[in-house]
Amino acid sequence: MSPLMIGIAAFVGVAALVMGAVLLLRNKPTSKIEERLDLITGANTPAALKEALSKQSVLTQPLFDTPALFERFFERFGRINLLFEQADTSLTITKLLIICAVMAVMGVLVGAIVRLHFAFIPLVALAMGFLPIVWLMFRRKRRLKHFAAQLPEAMEMLARALRSGQSMGFGFNMVAGEMGMPIGKEFNRVFEEQNLGIPLEESLRNMTERIPNLDLKFFVTAVILQRQTGGDLAEILDKIGELIRDRFRIWGQVQALTGEGRLSGVVLLGLPFLLFFTVYQLNPKYLMVLFTDPMGTKMLGIAIVMQLLGALVIRKIVNIKV
C-alpha cells in the first residue's frame, strides 16, 4: 500500500474516533426540555426561576444547544460561540475544526498531486486549513458592515412609530417585518424575547453583545435612559440616524482618498510571493538554498518578519477610524 493511502486511512480512523468521543460526551437534551417546560408552566421554585433567568433564560436558548467536547474546552478561552452568532452560521467549534482538518488533508493531497517539494506541503496544508476560518471572519465582517448600513433607516422607522403613538415593542416588530437581514433578525429576536418575559433593557444589552457596533450602543443607551428618566426618544433617534449617515459619508471620502495607498499595499505585499512561486516554477533548485542552507533559512525568516511588519505599518497608515 502506498504512503498516501496509509495517510488517508489514518486520517479517516482518527476522525471516526474523534466523532465517536464527541457523540459519547454530548449531554442528553431531555434535561433542557424539562427545564424549559418547568419554567413555562411555573413548576420551578422562585429560587430556581431566578437562577434560570440569571443565566440569560433557558427560553432564549435553542433546545438542542448542548455543548460538546470541543465547545466545553474552548469556553475557557472566552465566548467563542459568539463568533458564530455574529457570522449568522449554524457551524459549531466541532464542525469548524473538522472542516479545517479536511481542508488541510486536501492541501496535502493537492501538494502530492502537483508534486511540490516536501518543504512546501505543510505550508499548503496550513493555508488550506485556515481557509474556513478566513471565510468565517469574512462572513462576520460583511454581516456587521451590512447591519451598520441598515441602522440609520431602522432608527428613522422607530422614530416614526413612536411619533404615531405606537409602543417601542411595536416599533421593533415593524423593523423586523419591514427590513431585511441582518437587522430584521436581530430586532425580531429582541421583540420575541420581550414576549417571553425578558426585560427590554436585558434584551437590548444582549443585542449589543451579539453586534459590536458603537452606534448601536448609543441607541441602546438612549432607550435605557429614556425609560428611566423620560424625554423625547423620537428626536434622539433622528439625531442618531443623522449622525450615522454623516459618519458613513465621511468614511466614504476617507476610503476614496486612501484607495491608492491600499492598492499599493496589496501590490507590495503580494509581489514577493508571486515572484517566489514564479522562480520556483522556472528554476526550483535556485530557491532550495533558502531551505537547505542555514544562512538561507535565516534570510527567509527575516523576510517573513519584515513582510509582517510592512503589512502592519501599511494597515496603520490607511486604516483611519471615523
Side-chain angles (χ1 to χ4, degrees):
M1 185 179 292
S2 64
L4 181 61
M5 295 301 297
I6 295 176
I8 295 174
F11 170 76
V12 173
V14 172
L17 290 176
V18 171
M19 290 302 298
V22 169
L23 293 176
L24 288 176
L25 293 175
R26 288 186 66 91
N27 299 327
K28 294 183 179 180
T30 55
S31 60
K32 183 165 288 190
I33 296 175
E34 292 174 356
E35 187 180 8
R36 180 173 294 191
L37 290 175
D38 290 340
L39 185 58
I40 294 176
T41 58
N44 277 349
T45 61
L49 178 61
K50 183 178 180 180
E51 182 181 358
L53 291 176
S54 65
K55 294 179 180 178
Q56 200 180 349
S57 180
V58 296
L59 295 175
T60 62
Q61 301 175 3
L63 282 175
F64 301 100
D65 190 21
T66 53
L69 175 63
F70 294 110
E71 279 78 359
R72 292 197 298 269
F73 174 76
F74 281 101
E75 280 178 357
R76 303 176 183 177
F77 305 98
R79 298 184 58 184
I80 305 297
N81 290 326
L82 185 61
L83 178 64
F84 299 104
E85 288 190 29
Q86 293 173 352
D88 192 21
T89 177
S90 59
L91 288 176
T92 60
I93 297 176
T94 305
K95 294 179 181 179
L96 181 63
L97 291 178
I98 293 175
I99 294 174
C100 290
V102 172
M103 292 295 293
V105 173
M106 290 180 59
V108 174
L109 296 178
V110 170
I113 291 174
V114 300
R115 296 181 179 180
L116 285 177
H117 192 270
F118 67 91
F120 297 127
I121 292 181
L123 299 178
V124 176
L126 188 63
M128 293 285 289
F130 269 101
L131 281 180
I133 300 177
V134 173
W135 170 83
L136 183 66
M137 299 302 296
F138 172 77
R139 182 183 176 91
R140 172 185 178 271
K141 183 179 180 180
R142 184 180 61 181
R143 184 172 183 266
L144 295 179
K145 184 178 180 180
H146 193 195
F147 183 95
Q150 291 178 310
L151 194 57
E153 186 177 353
M155 298 295 99
E156 295 174 355
M157 191 176 297
L158 280 175
R160 290 195 297 267
L162 293 176
R163 285 196 179 94
S164 64
Q166 302 295 338
S167 64
M168 178 63 69
F170 177 85
F172 276 92
N173 189 26
M174 185 174 65
V175 172
E178 295 293 333
M179 300 192 66
M181 298 285 287
I183 199 169
K185 180 179 180 179
E186 294 295 335
F187 275 64
N188 182 67
R189 182 168 178 176
V190 174
F191 177 73
E192 294 295 338
E193 288 180 355
Q194 291 181 79
N195 292 338
L196 294 173
I198 300 176
L200 178 62
E201 291 82 359
E202 183 178 349
S203 300
L204 291 175
R205 290 192 182 97
N206 293 336
M207 183 169 63
T208 57
E209 292 182 1
R210 296 190 302 270
I211 306 294
N213 185 282
L214 183 61
D215 298 318
L216 181 63
K217 292 181 179 180
F218 289 156
F219 161 68
V220 171
T221 303
V223 172
I224 294 176
L225 289 177
Q226 191 273 340
R227 291 175 65 87
Q228 295 176 355
T229 62
D232 190 359
L233 183 59
E235 183 179 357
I236 296 175
L237 295 180
D238 285 337
K239 291 182 179 179
I240 293 177
E242 293 177 2
L243 176 64
I244 298 173
R245 293 185 186 278
D246 291 339
R247 183 178 298 174
F248 268 101
R249 184 174 63 254
I250 297 174
W251 181 79
Q253 295 175 356
V254 171
Q255 290 294 104
L257 294 175
T258 59
E260 182 180 355
R262 287 184 284 109
L263 182 60
S264 300
V266 172
V267 173
L268 292 176
L269 294 176
L271 188 61
F273 297 99
L274 180 61
L275 291 177
F276 182 87
F277 286 107
T278 302
V279 175
Y280 177 77
Q281 292 294 329
L282 296 176
N283 190 1
K285 295 182 180 180
Y286 184 77
L287 289 177
M288 287 302 103
V289 182
L290 296 174
F291 299 94
T292 57
D293 189 84
M295 182 60 69
T297 306
K298 294 179 181 179
M299 293 176 61
L300 185 61
I302 294 174
I304 294 175
V305 172
M306 295 298 291
Q307 280 285 105
L308 294 176
L309 291 177
L312 293 176
V313 171
I314 293 175
R315 184 178 183 274
K316 190 68 176 179
I317 292 174
V318 300
N319 189 18
I320 300 176
K321 294 183 178 180
V322 180

